[in-house]
Structure formats: C-alpha cells, structure tokens
C-alpha cells in the first residue's frame, strides 16, 4: 500500500521508480548558468506511457527513453513535455507503453541558472586579498531543491545511487559526496581528450546501482596510508593549475550508496584544505576541512573534532560510517548554519572556523556542536532517512540530542547540558507555549509547508523529548534500541513508529504509549506542586501550559505521561514517579527538601508553591548541592515563563533573582541575564521612573560579580570563567555601571588607537556594546570602522551586535540601509534586524522599514523563506501592545504569505501574550520596586 494514500501530500506517481542516476553537469561561473544531462535507470511498476518527475526552474531541452526489456534496446523521444510550475513537475509522454516488471533508462538534457538565492545549484562569491571577486558553484537541496539542479524524484523515500561527473575549469576544485575516481582534461567543448567513449547520445549504462567493488567505500589506494594529522594540503596537484584558454577538466566521483536526493551535493570553486585520518576505526576515514584561500589555520579546531565524532558515533551506533571520506567545507553565502550532505557537509564560516589567537571563545562550543550534529546525521538521516517530511523530527531532534551528547563527552569542562537547558530547551518550550505551535510530528502536504517546520519544535522540543526518554529508559538501554533501529533500517526509510518499535524491543516498555502524547500533540504541561503542612506529601497536577494564560477547558484535554524526576528519590520510587492522569500524590522520606524535574530532563514547567519557592531560594543562597547549575537555570526559566502566563506574579521572579547575587557559574548567569533582559524588553513602554528602577535592579544584580572578576584575564581562566567575565561586564556596563562604562571607553579608545592588547578577543563584543550604548555618533562610527576593517566573521558579528544598540534614530536608519546594501551578505540581514528588534529604541523604526521595503525584501528572499520568516519575527515579535498586532495583521492582509504563515501567526500571538503580561503585572512590579527602594 502506498504510504501517501489519504494524506493529501503532493507526491509523484508510483508507475516508475528510479534506481540509479548518472549525472553530468557543466557550471559556467562567468555567465551563471549550467548545462546538464542525466541518465536515470528506472524500474517500471505499472503500464505507462507517461513519466512524471520533479523539475523546478530548469529548461528541459530533450528527453529520450530507452527500454531495456527488449533484446535489442529501443529508444524513443518524448512526444510531449509538460511543465507544471505549481507542483514543480515535468511530465514526459512517449508513444510506446512501458510494461511492469521491465527496466528502462530516461535520458534528459537540460540547463539552468546558477541563482543567488542560496538554494538549489547556486552561486556564492568571495573577494581575495587584492579585491578580486571569485565565484563558487554550490548546492543546498534540503528540503525540495534538488529539482532545481537536475530533474529527479525529489522525495526522501525515493532513494537511488548516483554517479556524478563535473566538468569545471582546471584551476578550480570540484567536490561531491564521494571521492574522485578519475580526472581528465577536456577541451572547451567538453569533449574528453583521449576519451574513446561515445558522445552523450550513446545508449546508457544498464547499471542499476550495484557499485563496482573498487567503489564500494574502500579508500582508493592513492588515499590510503598514514596521512599526517595536520597535513596542510594546498589544493591537490590534480586540481591545480591555471585555466589557460578556458580549459576544462572532467572530474568523476565514485558511485554513492543508495540515498535521498536532498543529500546530494556538488561544489566547484577555489579552496584549500587540511586533512587527517581517523585513528581508531578498522577502515581509516580521510577527514578534510575545505576553506577559502588563506583560511586553513582557522580550520584546525574543526579538523580536530571531526575524527572524534566519526569514531564516537561509529561506536555509539554500532554501524560503520559507509563512505571513504568526510569533507567539511565553508560556503560564503549560506542560508542555514550547516547541511548534512552525505560525505560533504556544508557550513557557514561562523559554524566551522575558529582562530585561537583572535576568535571569541564563545564560538568554540557552537562549532563543536554543529560539527557533531551534522556528522550524527550521516547515520541518523542519511543512512536511515525519514519516510516523509512529517517525520523531520527523527532527523533533527535526534541529531540535536546526540550532537549535544557528543560535545558533553569531548568537552566535559563546558557543562554543555546545562547550556542546553538554558538555550535550546527554552527555545522549544517558548515556541510550544503558543497556540500557533505545532506537534513535533506534523503533517506536511505541499513543499511550501515543509521549510516552516525547520524550527524550535522539530529541533529542540524533539531533542528534549529524546533526552527525556533516554533518561527515563536509561542511556544504555536507549542506545541499544538506537542500534537495533539503525541496523534494521540502514539504507531505508522510517516513521516515528519504527523508532518506537526498536526502543520497545530494547527496553521491554511500550515506548509509543509513553511518547505519543509528546510527539503527536501540540503543547506541553505545567505541573503544579501542592504540599501538606510539613511538605512530606506532595500532590502533582498537570494542565496544558499556554504563555497567554487564557487556557480554556476545551484546550486542556491532553494528559501527558510525565516523569516527575523527584530528588531526593521518594519512597514511592517504584512507581518511577510517573504522572499519567490529572494528578498523583507522592510521599517523601524527608519533608521540605526536594526538587522536581531533576536536571530538567522532563519537557514541562514546574509551578512550586510560594513556600516551596522561598525555601528553594534560601537553598540556592546557601549553595545547596541538591540544586545543580542545570537545576538553577531551569528554575529561573520556569518562574519567568509562569510570570508571563499569570501563574505567579512577576515580583516572585524579581525576588528569586535577588537570591542569585553570589552565583558563580557562567551558565546560570546566562539564565539570569536572559530573565532580566526579557523584563527590560517587555516592559519597555512603562514610565521613565519604572524603567530606571528596572535598570537599577539590573545594575545591582551584576555589578558586584563584575567588579569581582574585572577586565584583566588571568592565567587561571578557563572556558567558563572567560565567558563569565564578558557576560558580567556587558550586563553591568549596559545597565549603567559607571566604573565599567569608563573602563570600557578607556580600553576601546586605546584599542582603536592601535593598542590591540587593550581589548582581548573575548571582551571586544562587551566593550563595543557598552561604548555604542553610552556614546555618540563618533563612537558608533569607530565601531562601524572595526566592522569594515576586520575579515574575521566572529569579529564582524561582535561589531554588528554592538552597532544595533545605538539609540539615535539617524544611526538606526543608517544601519537599516546598511543591512540591505552590497556590503552585507544577504544571509546576514537578521544579525542586523535581530539586534535592532532587541533594542526598544529601534524596534518601531525597524518595523516601519520592513513595511516600507516589503516588496524589495520579499523579492530578495523569495528562495529563502526561513530568512524571510525570521525578518517578520524580528519586525513584529517584540512589541507589547494590541495596536501593533492589529497593525501587523492589517499589513499582511492583502499579501501572499502562505510560505511564512506560521512565523506571522506566532509573532502575533507573542505580541498579544506580552500585552496581557504588561497589563497584568506592571503595577505588581512597580510596588515591588518601591518596597525594595529601587523606586521612590
């Protein structure tokens, strides 16, 4: 039975299925076009005279079908070629009918445009040291853009093998998923010198995907042996040289394993690389990091992590990595953070490059995580692939969880899981607290719906629910189930139920019953904790959490299976402390001293009673070891969210924050900073005396700790203390701590005056931000010059972040114009818009600019809907008044916005939730500020 039946999905007919593609492409980097031909081996399932496949923005020149069922092969040209733009398909009609059980080869000649939309087969560019522009041809196919590069069956479950050949200038590097097996120089016409094979109209190969033994993943002899671990290979000699007279070379790659079209990749451009090989695998895997010329030093950290990840995941999953090489490469223009193309993973430079001498240390964790996330996909997503986009979370949720697991193993000193609780976990909870959220497993019918679910639900709620399940089953049992799953479904496609079946087999527990409410239902619970007189008996009650706080009985019907995570372990622990119905009562061995949701492994909010919260505050002040850094992070986030929804008064959060004045853990200060800055952002339209009181509270909270750490780095500094210093100084300075502001201005003046040591790389962003916020136009221009002068991406981002805190309207307008100029890559607009959105004095002008320039923005990002959706969120999502929600609705009322309908709906809901919060709690906060002396 067809799994798509009855789903309403826009899918291809099942009359034929591809088994192998032989694809040849010739990109023209002068005219930004490409020419191609593809020979597709087909199995015929039903009698047919028509073949429909996916094609989008391609000019199909010819189509010929060769029937392999006859003793004498017969070919026929298509009598009709029909293009349907709405469904992105091409249909070829033939005179002679194909019969089921036979095989055929479809030969298509086509051409296309190397677009500048960061999807499909597109162009990117960079400037060398002499200011000369060089172009790159590269790919981004997920979710449905392989069809922009070659005609294909562009659905994740229609897997095939691929032979890829690229004809490119002789001075450029050509890369694809597999290793190079041959290279020949060709003339300008593309004819191979000394090649005796027939031209493109020759009868195609009958190969159906069986890979010759020399191409089945064994590393070719030229790549075997001990490669020095830090070998600085300039471009290999076979891919060097000047393209005198426009000469081309033909580069052929080994046949891929059977795989989905969205994972195919090919890249052409000027690159250098460094390489190493894995040391602890039976078959060594060559690992390379490709970078733009002159950037190899910045690839060393990425190169050190790559073999660790390959070896760890091979052990974890119990299945060998099936390709002979693993290439990582930076692409200058790239919409997302990275893409897991099998054997050729593409990255934004900020997610791969790190300079030990000049880079901000905070980027190191992000780089390590991104590499581990993408390499995990080589198994979970590439080897075993979701059956359809409804199950995207199987790819992204798992890779997010296991990527963090790997980082925690490689760098235990970073306390990575606590940071996950502060960051990704909260992003999932925040989005899923909206009515306009969606279940983790969400029906996708049309391509324009798919990109909208690459969000915090699929990634972070998905990862959090996997973390919850692995904690509940036990990590070893859980991983045993994962190994069963991968081995059973290797090279195949799966649904969520296949994962549950493997985990049930490993654990003996009905995993589907435990997990289905989390995966198939929107939202999550808040658990209210009620105590008896001595707090030895606890009653837990669940209901759905909505950030708007206006839950109706009709919306409160889901009951989740909740592992309560009570510590110290209760006397009822044999029940595993599962809350499955409306409520449960649990007895403690010792009353009054406990925590719920230990280490925040459960995806829910905990609402403690007022007495319990007061006791916990005292325990935190007393450094009670029961409350780990992760627990403290989660508690702050829970109370913050419960203020927004009206479960508790915001004064309760202010009271709790005061108990953290002597906190010493970086990740907890991250959570403190987040809570205070959210309050400043949401209550930005209160009277001046209120805003001053909140700023005074902010300053008092951070100044003591900032003074303790100071500006000078110490030999004893580690990862966390280095980042803590920056965080504390930035917060204290931006909240008006005069000592910090003066020192920042002094060091900044020395730095721009030529003393590079006045500001080390980890304090630049803090100093820049303080100086711009408290300075004038000349300070702004100095930071802008720093942005223009530096070539390091992380330093550019530090400067952008600082520039967007500007308070003067003329400077805000200058930034808006700069953000869409040729000086800024299209992918980087949201660094500007995101910063201006966080700036209360700039967000209204930002929204007016977006409205006035919507046609330009819509056209500019027509192929990058995720970026356009984020533009809307930046423009609207931080307002706190109903009038602004209505203004947004009126603006989009007559616009075609199907592709960004979710971001618009979510932004509007956030605005209205914030408006209710302000109306409900502004006076409560004012009274608290008065009682504490922050406001007279």
């Amino acid at each position: 039975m067809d799994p798509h039946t009855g789903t309403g999905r826009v899918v291809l007919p099942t009359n034929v299925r591809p088994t192998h593609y032989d694809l040849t492409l010739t990109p023209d980097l002068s005219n930004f076009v490409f020419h191609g031909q593809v020979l597709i081996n087909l199995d015929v399932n039903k009698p047919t005279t028509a073949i429909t496949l996916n094609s989008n923005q391609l000019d199909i020149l010819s189509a010929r079908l060769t029937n392999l069922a006859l003793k004498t092969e017969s070919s026929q040209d298509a009598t009709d070629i029909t293009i349907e733009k709405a469904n992105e398909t091409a249909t070829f009609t033939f005179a002679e009918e194909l019969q089921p059980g036979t095989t055929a080869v479809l030969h298509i000649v086509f051409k296309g445009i190397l677009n500048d939309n960061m999807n499909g087969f597109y162009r990117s560019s960079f400037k060398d040291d002499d200011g000369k522009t060089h172009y790159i041809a590269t790919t981004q196919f997920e979710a449905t853009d392989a069809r922009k590069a070659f005609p294909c069956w562009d659905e994740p479950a229609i897997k095939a093998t691929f032979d890829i050949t690229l004809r490119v200038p002789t001075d450029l590097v050509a890369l694809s998923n597999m290793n190079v097996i041959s290279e020949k120089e060709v003339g300008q016409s593309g004819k191979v010198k000394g090649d005796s094979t027939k031209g493109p109209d020759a009868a195609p190969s009958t190969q159906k995907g069986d890979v010759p033994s020399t191409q089945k993943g064994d590393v070719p002899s030229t790549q075997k042996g001990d490669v020095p671990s830090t070998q600085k290979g300039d471009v290999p000699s076979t891919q060097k040289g000047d393209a005198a007279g426009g000469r081309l070379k033909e580069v052929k790659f080994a046949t891929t394993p059977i795989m989905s079209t969205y994972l195919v990749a090919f890249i052409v451009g000027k690159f250098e690389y460094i390489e190493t090989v894995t040391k602890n695998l039976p078959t060594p895997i060559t690992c390379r990091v490709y970078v733009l010329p002159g950037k190899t030093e910045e690839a060393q950290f990425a190169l050190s992590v790559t073999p660790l990840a390959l070896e760890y995941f091979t052990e974890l999953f119990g299945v060998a990595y099936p390709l002979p090489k693993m290439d990582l490469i930076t692409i200058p223009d790239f919409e997302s953070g990275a893409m897991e193309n099998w054997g050729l993973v593409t990255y934004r430079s900020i997610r791969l490059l790190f300079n030990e001498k000049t880079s901000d240390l905070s980027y190191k964790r992000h780089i390590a995580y991104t590499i581990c996330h993408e390499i995990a996909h080589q198994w979970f997503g590439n080897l075993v692939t979701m059956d359809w986009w409804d199950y995207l979370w199987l790819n992204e949720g798992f890779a997010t969880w296991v990527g963090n697991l790997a980082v925690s193993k490689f760098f235990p000193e970073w306390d990575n899981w606590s940071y996950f609780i502060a960051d990704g976990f909260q992003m999932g909870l925040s989005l899923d607290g909206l009515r306009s959220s969606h279940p983790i497993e969400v029906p996708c019918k049309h391509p324009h719906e798919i990109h909208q679910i690459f969000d915090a639900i699929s990634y972070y709620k998905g990862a959090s629910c996997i973390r919850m399940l692995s904690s509940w089953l036990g990590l070893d049992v859980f991983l045993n189930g994962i190994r069963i799953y991968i081995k059973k479904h290797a090279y195949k496609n799966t649904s969520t139920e296949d994962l549950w079946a493997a985990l049930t087999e490993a654990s003996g527990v009905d995993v589907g019953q435990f997990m289905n409410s989390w995966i198939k239902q929107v939202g999550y619970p808040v658990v209210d904790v009620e105590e008896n007189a001595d707090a030895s008996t606890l009653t837990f009650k669940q209901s759905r959490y909505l950030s708007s706080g206006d839950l109706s009985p009709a919306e409160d019907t889901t009951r989740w299976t909740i592992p309560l995570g009570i510590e110290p372990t209760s006397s009822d622990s044999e029940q595993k402390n599962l809350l499955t119905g409306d409520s449960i009562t649990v007895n403690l061995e010792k009353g009054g001293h406990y925590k719920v949701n230990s280490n925040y492994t459960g995806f829910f909010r905990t609402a403690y009673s007022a007495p319990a919260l007061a006791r916990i505050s005292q325990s935190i002040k007393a450094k009670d070891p029961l409350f780990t850094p992760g627990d403290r992070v989660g508690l702050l986030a829970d109370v913050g969210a419960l203020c927004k929804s009206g479960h508790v008064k915001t004064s309760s959060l202010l009271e709790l924050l005061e108990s953290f004045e002597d906190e010493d853990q970086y990740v907890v200060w991250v959570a403190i900073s987040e809570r205070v800055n959210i309050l400043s952002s949401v209550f930005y339209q209160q009277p001046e005396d209120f805003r001053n009181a909140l700023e005074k509270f902010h300053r008092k909270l951070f100044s003591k700790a900032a003074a303790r750490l100071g500006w000078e780095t110490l030999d004893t500094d580690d990862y966390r203390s280095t980042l803590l210093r920056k965080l504390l100084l930035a917060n204290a300075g931006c909240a008006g701590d005069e000592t910090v502001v003066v020192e920042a201005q002094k060091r900044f003046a020395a730095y721009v005056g030529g003393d590079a040591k006045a500001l080390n790389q980890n304090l630049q962003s803090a100093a820049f931000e303080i100086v711009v916020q408290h300075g004038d136009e000349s300070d702004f221009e100095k930071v802008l010059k720093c942005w223009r002068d530096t070539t390091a991406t992380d330093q550019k981002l530090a400067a952008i972040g600082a520039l967007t805190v500007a308070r003067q309207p003329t400077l805000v307008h200058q930034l808006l114009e700069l953000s869409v100029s040729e000086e800024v890559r299209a992918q980087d607009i949201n660094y500007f818009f995101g910063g201006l959105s966080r700036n209360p004095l700039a967000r209204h002008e930002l929204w007016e600019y977006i409205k006035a320039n919507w046609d330009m923005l819509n056209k500019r990002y027509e192929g990058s809907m995720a970026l356009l959706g984020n533009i809307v969120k930046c423009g609207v999502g931080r307002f706190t008044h109903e009038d602004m929600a209505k203004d947004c609705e009126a603006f989009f009322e007559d616009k075609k916005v199907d592709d960004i309908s979710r971001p618009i709906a979510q932004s509007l809901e956030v605005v209205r939730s914030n408006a209710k919060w302000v109306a409900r709690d502004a006076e409560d906060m004012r009274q608290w500020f008065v009682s504490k002396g922050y406001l007279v």
Side-chain angles (χ1 to χ4, degrees):
M1 180 181 171
D2 184 351
H4 302 304
T5 301
T7 62
R9 297 169 183 163
V10 178
V11 293
L12 294 168
T14 59
N15 55 344
V16 299
R17 280 291 179 260
T19 59
H20 180 76
Y21 295 78
D22 190 342
L23 174 65
T24 301
L25 289 165
T26 307
D28 180 345
L29 285 167
S30 298
N31 298 304
F32 306 136
V33 296
F34 62 91
H35 295 82
Q37 65 167 352
V38 62
L39 288 72
I40 309 173
N41 291 61
L42 301 173
D43 283 345
V44 183
N45 299 323
K46 299 174 184 177
T48 188
T49 56
I51 295 174
T52 299
L53 44 56
N54 292 117
S55 177
N56 188 16
Q57 300 174 22
L58 295 175
D59 186 1
I60 294 177
L61 305 177
S62 67
R64 175 181 294 181
L65 187 67
T66 302
N67 189 342
L68 304 181
L70 305 176
K71 290 183 179 178
T72 304
E73 293 176 349
S74 66
S75 295
Q76 54 177 323
D77 291 326
T79 59
D80 182 66
I81 301 174
T82 302
I83 305 298
E84 188 179 341
K85 287 187 177 181
N87 287 332
E88 301 175 355
T89 60
T91 298
F92 308 118
T93 304
F94 298 94
E96 296 178 22
E97 187 175 68
L98 290 171
Q99 297 303 315
T102 63
T103 57
V105 174
L106 180 62
H107 178 198
I108 308 169
V109 179
F110 58 94
K111 64 181 180 180
I113 295 172
L114 287 171
N115 70 73
D116 58 355
N117 294 327
M118 295 182 284
N119 58 64
F121 196 16
Y122 73 93
R123 67 183 186 265
S124 179
S125 65
F126 69 95
K127 290 184 178 179
D128 61 22
D129 292 341
D130 297 325
K132 180 183 177 182
T133 298
H134 299 268
Y135 288 96
I136 295 164
T138 186
T139 57
Q140 170 59 41
F141 291 162
E142 190 176 31
T144 59
D145 287 328
R147 64 192 70 175
K148 291 182 179 177
F150 60 101
C152 58
W153 278 255
D154 199 11
E155 297 172 14
I158 308 180
K159 291 188 172 186
T161 53
F162 294 81
D163 282 329
I164 292 173
T165 301
L166 298 176
R167 292 179 171 180
V168 304
T170 54
D171 65 332
L172 300 183
V173 176
L175 299 169
S176 188
N177 304 85
M178 297 297 288
N179 49 291
V180 175
I181 56 169
S182 74
E183 216 174 276
K184 299 175 184 177
E185 190 174 318
V186 299
Q188 291 177 318
S189 67
K191 177 68 179 175
V192 180
K193 288 187 179 179
D195 188 352
S196 61
T197 58
K198 298 177 185 176
D201 293 334
S205 157
T206 57
Q207 180 183 353
K208 285 178 72 174
D210 267 332
V211 185
S213 59
T214 56
Q215 296 180 23
K216 267 196 170 172
D218 284 328
V219 182
S221 59
T222 55
Q223 294 186 15
K224 280 187 175 177
D226 289 330
V227 183
S229 60
T230 56
Q231 179 183 340
K232 264 199 170 178
D234 198 337
V235 181
S237 59
T238 55
Q239 297 191 14
K240 284 173 77 173
D242 295 323
R247 291 198 312 270
L248 301 180
K249 61 184 177 183
E250 183 178 87
V251 184
K252 288 182 178 288
F253 300 89
T255 306
T256 70
I258 188 169
M259 62 189 285
S260 303
T261 49
Y262 80 87
L263 295 166
V264 173
F266 26 87
I267 301 171
V268 179
K270 284 186 178 292
F271 295 100
E272 297 171 355
Y273 72 88
I274 55 175
E275 74 173 23
T276 187
V277 292
T278 57
K279 296 293 189 291
N280 300 307
L281 297 177
T283 302
I285 305 297
T286 302
C287 306
R288 288 178 176 172
V289 181
Y290 283 86
V291 295
L292 299 180
K295 296 286 188 180
T296 53
E297 184 182 349
E298 296 174 32
Q300 293 288 353
F301 177 65
L303 188 69
S304 72
V305 174
T306 302
L308 292 178
L310 281 170
E311 292 169 357
Y312 179 56
F313 291 139
T314 298
E315 176 188 358
L316 209 64
F317 301 144
V319 174
Y321 174 69
L323 274 61
K325 57 96 169 177
M326 169 54 69
D327 292 338
L328 284 60
I329 185 167
T330 59
I331 303 298
D333 300 280
F334 197 74
E335 180 181 6
S336 57
M339 175 60 206
E340 68 267 20
N341 315 298
W342 216 352
L344 180 58
V345 183
T346 44
Y347 294 82
R348 274 197 189 203
S349 59
I350 196 66
R351 292 293 189 170
L352 194 66
L353 302 184
F354 186 86
N355 188 314
E356 295 288 349
K357 297 174 184 174
T358 62
S359 291
D360 186 322
L361 191 58
S362 63
Y363 288 103
K364 209 166 197 176
R365 190 184 66 85
H366 295 293
I367 291 167
Y369 161 71
T370 305
I371 291 169
C372 291
H373 176 110
E374 303 305 330
I375 292 179
H377 271 311
Q378 308 301 300
W379 286 264
F380 228 93
N382 300 8
L383 183 63
V384 181
T385 311
M386 78 234 148
D387 186 64
W388 184 250
W389 299 103
D390 294 21
Y391 312 113
L392 173 69
W393 85 277
L394 286 175
N395 281 17
E396 299 304 347
F398 186 85
T400 301
W401 173 77
V402 83
N404 278 291
L405 187 73
V407 170
S408 298
K409 178 178 175 62
F410 303 153
F411 305 99
E413 68 276 13
W414 292 356
D415 191 17
N416 185 64
W417 279 121
S418 292
Y419 200 89
F420 176 79
I421 295 168
D423 185 33
F425 184 66
Q426 300 307 323
M427 290 169 67
L429 287 164
S430 179
L431 180 52
D432 209 32
L434 302 176
R435 281 190 178 87
S436 50
S437 180
H438 61 84
I440 287 178
E441 188 178 295
V442 58
C444 289
K445 297 178 181 179
H446 194 277
H448 74 70
E449 298 175 353
I450 296 168
H451 68 86
Q452 298 190 64
I453 63 166
F454 282 80
D455 62 9
I457 301 300
S458 297
Y459 284 74
Y460 298 119
K461 183 182 180 182
S464 299
C465 288
I466 286 172
R467 181 170 175 255
M468 176 172 64
L469 178 60
S470 67
S471 175
W472 184 64
L473 293 177
L475 184 59
D476 291 341
V477 171
F478 178 81
L479 289 173
N480 186 36
I482 295 300
R483 286 188 280 272
I484 292 170
Y485 172 79
I486 290 178
K487 288 175 182 176
K488 183 174 182 179
H489 300 287
Y491 302 104
K492 299 174 186 173
N493 295 81
T494 61
S495 67
T496 301
E497 282 66 32
D498 295 311
L499 179 59
W500 295 165
L503 291 167
T504 297
E505 180 182 340
S507 65
V509 174
D510 188 340
V511 171
Q513 185 180 41
F514 176 85
M515 289 296 291
N516 280 341
S517 60
W518 298 100
I519 302 302
K520 296 180 184 295
Q521 302 294 324
V522 68
Y524 62 89
V526 55
V527 175
D528 284 279
V529 188
E530 298 176 359
E531 303 176 341
N532 68 348
D534 64 353
S536 62
T537 300
L538 309 178
T539 300
F540 299 89
K541 297 180 179 179
Q542 66 164 305
S543 58
R544 182 179 172 187
Y545 173 86
L546 280 178
S547 59
S548 55
D550 54 357
L551 183 71
S552 70
E555 294 172 304
D556 193 23
T557 56
T558 301
R559 289 297 172 261
W560 290 266
T561 301
I562 307 171
L564 293 170
I566 304 166
E567 284 195 9
T569 308
S570 73
S571 58
D572 299 330
S573 59
E574 65 274 5
Q575 304 170 16
K576 276 206 162 183
N577 291 327
L578 277 182
L579 173 55
T580 56
D582 289 343
S583 65
I584 189 176
T585 298
V586 174
N587 297 311
L588 301 181
E589 292 181 357
K590 180 186 176 185
H593 186 244
Y594 68 93
K595 65 180 179 182
V596 180
N597 202 8
S598 178
N599 285 316
Y600 278 75
T601 55
F603 194 75
F604 60 92
R605 298 287 189 196
T606 303
Y608 289 102
S609 65
L613 197 57
R615 284 199 311 274
I616 291 170
S617 296
Q618 291 305 312
S619 294
I620 289 169
K621 271 188 177 178
K623 308 286 186 185
D624 185 343
L626 179 66
F627 296 94
T628 66
D631 291 325
R632 303 199 292 277
V633 166
L635 176 70
L636 283 163
D638 277 357
V639 176
L642 294 170
C643 293
K644 182 171 185 174
S645 62
H647 283 77
V648 298
K649 289 293 186 183
T650 305
S651 54
S652 299
L653 174 61
L654 298 171
E655 198 77 43
L656 178 64
L657 284 164
E658 279 199 320
S659 65
F660 284 88
E661 199 173 10
D662 295 320
E663 178 60 53
D664 58 2
Q665 292 298 310
Y666 164 66
V667 71
V668 183
W669 277 108
V670 169
I672 296 167
S673 173
E674 180 73 4
R675 301 286 81 71
V676 179
N677 284 298
I678 286 174
L679 292 176
S680 298
S681 179
V682 170
F683 291 86
Y684 75 106
Q685 289 183 307
Q686 292 302 297
E688 186 178 5
D689 63 339
F690 182 105
R691 300 198 309 273
N692 289 341
L694 182 52
E695 184 177 76
K696 191 183 293 185
F697 171 76
H698 189 173
R699 189 162 61 243
K700 180 177 182 294
L701 204 53
F702 280 85
S703 289
K704 179 180 172 183
R708 187 171 65 244
L709 276 187
W711 287 84
E712 296 296 333
T713 57
L714 306 173
D715 292 338
T716 55
D717 280 345
D718 59 11
Y719 175 86
R720 285 184 277 180
S721 62
T722 298
L723 298 186
L724 178 58
R725 176 178 288 107
K726 177 178 74 170
L727 180 72
L728 294 173
L729 289 170
N731 273 274
C734 290
D737 182 313
E738 189 173 344
T739 304
V740 173
V741 172
V742 169
E743 184 65 19
Q745 291 169 331
K746 182 179 112 181
R747 287 173 178 266
F748 177 75
Y751 178 78
V752 296
D755 181 6
K757 293 182 179 179
L759 276 178
N760 77 55
Q761 68 265 33
N762 296 303
L763 292 176
Q764 282 176 19
S765 62
F768 285 8
E769 191 171 334
I770 294 166
V771 164
V772 171
Q773 182 168 319
H774 295 281
D776 55 21
E777 188 172 342
S778 67
D779 295 306
F780 178 93
E781 291 297 334
K782 288 170 186 172
V783 174
L784 184 60
K785 185 176 186 300
C786 290
W787 174 77
R788 287 194 166 115
D789 289 348
T790 186
T791 58
T793 305
D794 60 320
Q795 292 178 12
K796 278 190 175 294
L797 295 187
I800 293 170
L803 292 168
T804 59
V805 305
R807 299 184 172 191
Q808 299 89 331
T810 55
L811 301 182
V812 171
H813 183 75
Q814 183 180 341
L815 276 181
L816 288 167
E817 293 296 335
L818 177 63
S819 71
V820 294
S821 71
E822 291 188 358
E823 281 192 88
V824 176
R825 293 188 184 275
Q827 67 185 24
D828 291 337
I829 189 170
N830 281 326
Y831 293 126
F832 287 85
F833 281 19
L836 292 170
S837 175
R838 286 186 290 273
N839 179 352
L841 297 178
R843 62 180 58 144
H844 288 266
E845 185 167 350
L846 168 64
W847 174 231
E848 292 303 317
Y849 183 86
I850 290 172
K851 289 192 294 182
N853 294 277
W854 180 253
D855 290 344
M856 176 271 290
L857 292 168
N858 195 32
K859 186 174 187 302
R860 193 179 197 220
Y861 295 101
E862 62 184 352
S864 304
M865 287 296 120
L867 283 173
L868 192 63
N870 282 330
I871 286 171
V872 171
K873 286 186 172 183
C874 291
V876 180
R878 285 190 167 85
F879 291 129
T880 62
H881 200 282
E882 175 65 22
D883 288 350
M884 297 309 299
K886 289 179 178 176
D887 185 66
C888 175
E889 285 176 324
F891 176 73
F892 284 117
E893 187 175 12
D894 62 348
K895 308 282 188 301
K896 189 177 183 303
V897 289
D898 288 351
D899 282 336
I900 53 170
S901 57
R902 281 190 193 275
I904 292 172
Q906 289 161 0
S907 297
L908 289 171
E909 189 175 349
V910 168
V911 172
R912 289 180 164 124
S913 293
N914 284 340
K916 289 179 181 178
W917 185 10
V918 171
R920 188 175 54 241
D921 272 10
E923 185 57 30
D924 168 66
M925 291 176 67
R926 174 178 285 276
Q927 293 304 319
W928 189 87
F929 287 141
V930 169
S931 71
K932 295 287 185 173
Y934 294 106
L935 195 156
V936 178

